[in-house]
Amino acid sequence: MIYRHILFYLLIGIATFAQPVREPGKVTAVSIHGQEIRITTEKAFASITAYSPSVIRVRIDKQALAKDFSYAVIAQPTAFQPRITQNDQQVKMETDSLVVHIRKNPFSIAFLKTDGTVINTDEPGLHTSWIGEEVTTYKTMQEGERFIGLGEKTGNLDRKGNAYTNWNTDAYGYTTGQDPIYATIPFYIGIHHGLSYGIFFDNTWRSDFNFGASNNRFSSFSANGGEMNYYFIYHQRVADIITAYTGLTGRMPLPPLWSLGYQQNRYSYYPDTEVYRIAQTLREKQIPADGITLDIHYMDAYKLFTWNKSRFPDPAAMNAKLAKLGFKTTVIVDPGIKVEKGYAAYESGLQSDIFIKYTDGQPYTGQVWPGWCHFPDFTTPKGRQWWKGQLESYARAGVSGLWNDMNEIATWGQKMPDNVLFSFEGNPVTHQQAHNVYGLQMIRASYEGYRAITPGKRPFILTRAGYAGLQRYSAIWTGDNRAEEDHMLLGVRLMNSLGLSGVPFSGMDVGGFTGNPTPSLYARWMQIGAFIPYFRNHTGINTKSAEPWAFGEEVLEISRNYINLRYRLLPYLYACFYDATQTGLPLMRTLAIDHTHDPKVYDGSFQNQYCFGPSFLIAPFESKQDYAPVYLPEGRWYDLYTDSVEQGGREKMLTLSIQQLPVFVKESSIIPMQTLIQNTTEKPADTLFLHVYQGNVKNEFVYYEDDGETYAYEKGAFYKRRMTYDPAARTITLEKAAGQSSSRFSVISLVLHGFGGQQEIRVNGNNASLQSGNYAFIQPVSRFDPQGESNPVISCAVRTTSFRNGADQIIIQL
């Protein structure tokens, strides 16, 4: 009996002193290696590296830090010398932008401005710790702190009070609050006390972010495995944080110009005669369009790299015929390769040994559209090279775009086993670590493969899933949404959040994928679609037709109005995409980018508003609303349609009409436009319309042209010039053009908005008279009541003049 009591007290002692949460403890050794501080603690190892003066990398693990590897980060540290000092209490790293305090007992990290203001700090008493293999860093939640970004996440613009999980998920018909959905971008921006910072947690395991959900003490980020590995970014402007983040993870390449045009899709268009009918109807009804997309029914029994010969007997001839009509074809590609003897892709994959496997070497088999399938390992060069070879059949058939779907990986049952192995570039890992990057590596294989086999032609790549850095290869769309009012507005927020997270090229299924939109909802969605980066109309199987003519003549005219406007704006759009390739800044910008510390932009009534490039403010509303408030940030804003001027920094109640989407133009804007074309293979007229809006602030716009199709721009074949409007000097300056190409526009028509009754200007010292006129951005919709009157033209009173374009500097004196 006495031994039983001794055993009892021994067990109590073990339970009392066991530590279920492992913390690093105090620092035991510090060594400095140029820009890196290496630290050993009682129970962990750490490395703090000055990646640049404004970016600090932190790595912490329970064991000695392993060899560095990332699918997301492609940048190397900038060579410079931070100032590093230490004493008994702390190690201090200083750059010109920020200061890092590394406390020694216990180990913790704080980031401060050079004046000592705290930007971000580990939460005292919690810091970084492990529960089993799960690693978490806890950050003090500052008073009034907001959190934005985190990629493709539902919910509000401000993520305060919520928690999110990163695990790429096939989320068919997801709800407006469902999490997770398809893509993982573990990068967010914190905002408090007039400053902002970014944190990118580069860990591909299932991860969780908590922004004060169920607690009022901390924000945190954690992963189920792997090391604590994050990059801290500090800049005064959110825009500069995005630029720094995309400096780490890469920026999008210039897309083919046709991919910025309108795209028509459904699940599914077949046979080829139906595809012809859609294409011809778009042309007959004068609806500009550049693309038709084929969903899974083009395949033979859903098998990848095949065509259903009864539906598409001659794909190459079909695509050639579509090309003559000005259409490019995009086809869906899924990763699952059907297990079927004699099926060429299956036999080739087995022979090339490129499928992911269980730990015993047997290929993993999961069920998707074709049935039981194997899956290529895109985390190995061998798998990506095999994929490239398979894609050649699409190139031969004249396919221009690849739509990568089901790449979360999605399988029926939604529970892929964890004991499936992936190469990870020769360092095998399990599904737990590879899952979130599978989609990224698939689009990498698609982009690199198609670029190689279609030399000289830019491919268009679209994806559903991805990880940080996906912008280097692909556009993304927000998956299987619903034909509902709140889903339309959710799509806006999803794309705004993707833009905050380094992904400028995004879209949603305009009109909704599941269900059937009402005519008014469809009309509103098409209007918004004209002001998003990737404009694709798409609907699901067993839904009603959802082409612009399927909802009646009024909706057709509304849709045509806004598609026409988008095509006239292509010079502006293309220049904005060029800017994204240089800065990482999105075309679709939440107001939080430029008005970060204005609390109104986070208000639920205004959080859906966004800027489309630097000039337009879009105010989307549900289609059934008759009245709604809009918030115009500081500055002066023009109503797009009438040029009426509103002073910013205040709310305005709008009377809404289904015929018009509320759009405003920022003062001092410079907006290049062209004549209407029906597709991008058509050449617009030789006049570039340069719309300039009178304002009180200096503004500039970088105009850019190239052939829109090849990579010749990489060798200097482009035309680029900076355009500046200076109200103080009363000048508009078009700087000398850079690049080896000439502009496609030989004439510039200057269209002045808000300049009153001015009669003349001077162009390079020569007098030029101004003509008064009216400019309509959209046409009136017909009044279909035979007893009613026609709708009036809504237009702006403008002053115009024209002059020759060229490469030399042009100075316009107002």
Side-chain angles (χ1 to χ4, degrees), residues 699-738:
N699 185 43
E700 64 179 36
F701 184 85
V702 177
Y703 176 78
Y704 179 86
E705 288 180 38
D706 59 28
D707 63 23
E709 183 179 18
T710 74
Y711 293 95
Y713 71 89
E714 295 179 342
K715 298 179 180 178
F718 60 83
Y719 177 93
K720 179 176 72 169
R721 75 190 320 166
R722 188 176 304 276
M723 302 176 172
T724 303
Y725 168 54
D726 186 343
R730 294 187 60 80
T731 59
I732 300 168
T733 302
L734 312 184
E735 293 182 5
K736 181 178 174 62

Side-chain angles (χ1 to χ4, degrees), residues 51-52 54-56 70-76 78 148-152 166 183-190 197-204 209 229-235 237-252 436-437 440 466-472 476 496-504 580-586 593:
Y51 232 71
S52 76
S54 58
V55 178
I56 306 298
S70 173
Y71 277 123
V73 175
I74 60 173
Q76 295 298 314
T78 302
I148 59 177
L150 208 64
E152 191 187 51
N166 286 314
T184 289
I185 306 179
F187 168 65
Y188 72 90
I189 296 170
Y197 66 88
I199 288 181
F200 169 44
F201 180 32
D202 189 12
N203 183 308
T204 66
F209 285 71
N229 174 28
Y230 70 91
Y231 295 79
F232 181 85
I233 303 170
Y234 172 67
H235 279 285
R237 298 170 61 244
V238 165
D240 294 330
I241 293 173
I242 297 170
T243 296
Y245 166 74
T246 55
L248 288 173
T249 61
R251 300 188 179 118
M252 67 172 291
N436 281 337
V437 294
L440 173 69
Y467 183 72
L470 72 89
Q471 66 273 5
R472 302 196 300 266
I476 189 172
N496 283 343
S497 185
L498 285 162
L500 282 166
S501 309
V503 183
T581 70
Q582 303 301 300
T583 66
L585 292 179
I593 292 180

Side-chain angles (χ1 to χ4, degrees), residues 291-530:
I292 290 183
T293 305
L294 302 181
D295 214 313
I296 60 175
H297 290 99
Y298 78 86
M299 303 180 207
D300 175 20
Y302 308 131
K303 291 182 290 187
L304 197 59
F305 311 121
T306 69
W307 292 82
N308 184 307
K309 291 303 183 181
S310 65
R311 295 170 178 168
F312 298 93
D314 192 342
M318 177 190 71
N319 289 326
K321 185 174 180 180
L322 290 172
K324 288 181 180 178
L325 291 170
F327 288 97
K328 300 291 193 299
T329 305
T330 299
V331 300
I332 197 169
V333 290
D334 296 345
I337 304 297
K338 185 174 183 180
V339 176
E340 178 180 283
K341 288 187 179 298
Y343 168 36
Y346 169 71
E347 298 288 0
S348 172
L350 283 180
Q351 184 177 1
S352 300
D353 189 29
I354 53 83
F355 295 126
I356 56 177
K357 300 180 178 68
Y358 287 105
T359 53
D360 64 0
Q362 181 175 329
Y364 165 68
T365 309
Q367 198 171 16
V368 281
W369 296 114
W372 291 103
C373 293
H374 293 335
F375 297 84
D377 188 349
F378 296 111
T379 70
T380 174
K382 182 171 65 172
R384 296 191 293 271
Q385 185 65 23
W386 176 86
W387 185 255
K388 177 181 121 177
Q390 300 301 308
L391 293 177
E392 289 180 1
S393 64
Y394 290 128
R396 290 193 301 270
V399 170
S400 300
L402 300 175
W403 166 19
N404 297 252
D405 195 28
M406 304 291 284
N407 53 348
E408 289 75 26
I409 301 172
T411 57
W412 304 160
Q414 304 298 321
K415 192 66 177 176
M416 184 174 170
D418 287 337
N419 62 340
V420 176
L421 299 181
F422 296 73
S423 168
F424 238 61
E425 313 307 320
N427 300 284
V429 302
T430 70
H431 173 240
Q432 290 180 313
Q433 190 170 350
H435 176 90
N436 281 337
V437 294
Y438 189 81
L440 173 69
Q441 290 307 100
M442 181 182 178
I443 58 175
R444 173 186 177 182
S446 294
Y447 174 78
E448 293 177 348
Y450 226 59
R451 176 166 180 169
I453 62 182
T454 55
K457 300 288 187 182
R458 304 178 207 171
F460 170 67
I461 308 296
L462 180 67
T463 190
R464 191 170 76 175
Y467 183 72
L470 72 89
Q471 66 273 5
R472 302 196 300 266
Y473 310 116
S474 179
I476 189 172
W477 102 105
T478 60
D480 298 337
N481 61 358
R482 303 183 183 192
E484 298 168 5
E485 302 273 1
D486 56 356
H487 249 272
M488 176 178 67
L489 299 180
L490 170 64
V492 168
R493 294 196 299 279
L494 288 171
M495 288 183 286
N496 283 343
S497 185
L498 285 162
L500 282 166
S501 309
V503 183
F505 203 2
S506 62
M508 58 177 164
D509 281 347
V510 171
F513 182 71
T514 71
N516 298 295
T518 63
S520 63
L521 173 58
Y522 182 89
R524 177 70 81 221
W525 217 324
M526 288 292 285
Q527 292 169 332
I528 295 170

Side-chain angles (χ1 to χ4, degrees), residues 650-722:
R650 62 184 67 173
E651 300 177 28
K652 176 181 173 61
M653 184 61 67
L654 300 179
T655 301
L656 301 177
S657 163
I658 196 57
Q659 296 181 4
Q660 284 186 20
L661 175 71
V663 180
F664 298 87
V665 181
K666 190 175 184 179
E667 65 172 318
S668 303
S669 287
I670 303 169
I671 302 172
M673 296 180 67
Q674 67 182 24
T675 56
L676 179 62
I677 55 177
Q678 292 300 300
N679 64 84
T680 57
T681 67
E682 288 185 18
K683 290 185 178 180
D686 64 357
T687 300
L688 180 70
F689 298 88
L690 204 60
H691 294 257
V692 179
Y693 287 76
Q694 194 277 331
N696 298 318
V697 295
K698 189 175 181 179
N699 185 43
E700 64 179 36
F701 184 85
V702 177
Y703 176 78
Y704 179 86
E705 288 180 38
D706 59 28
D707 63 23
E709 183 179 18
T710 74
Y711 293 95
Y713 71 89
E714 295 179 342
K715 298 179 180 178
F718 60 83
Y719 177 93
K720 179 176 72 169
R721 75 190 320 166
R722 188 176 304 276

Side-chain angles (χ1 to χ4, degrees), residues 144 173 259 286:
S259 67
Q286 294 186 300

Side-chain angles (χ1 to χ4, degrees), residues 264-302:
Q264 188 65 55
N265 187 23
R266 79 163 288 130
Y267 171 33
S268 291
Y269 287 134
Y270 67 88
D272 56 358
T273 51
E274 173 70 359
V275 177
Y276 295 144
R277 183 185 72 82
I278 295 297
Q280 290 163 350
T281 306
L282 285 163
R283 293 290 176 252
E284 289 166 3
K285 294 186 179 295
Q286 294 186 300
I287 302 168
D290 269 88
I292 290 183
T293 305
L294 302 181
D295 214 313
I296 60 175
H297 290 99
Y298 78 86
M299 303 180 207
D300 175 20
Y302 308 131

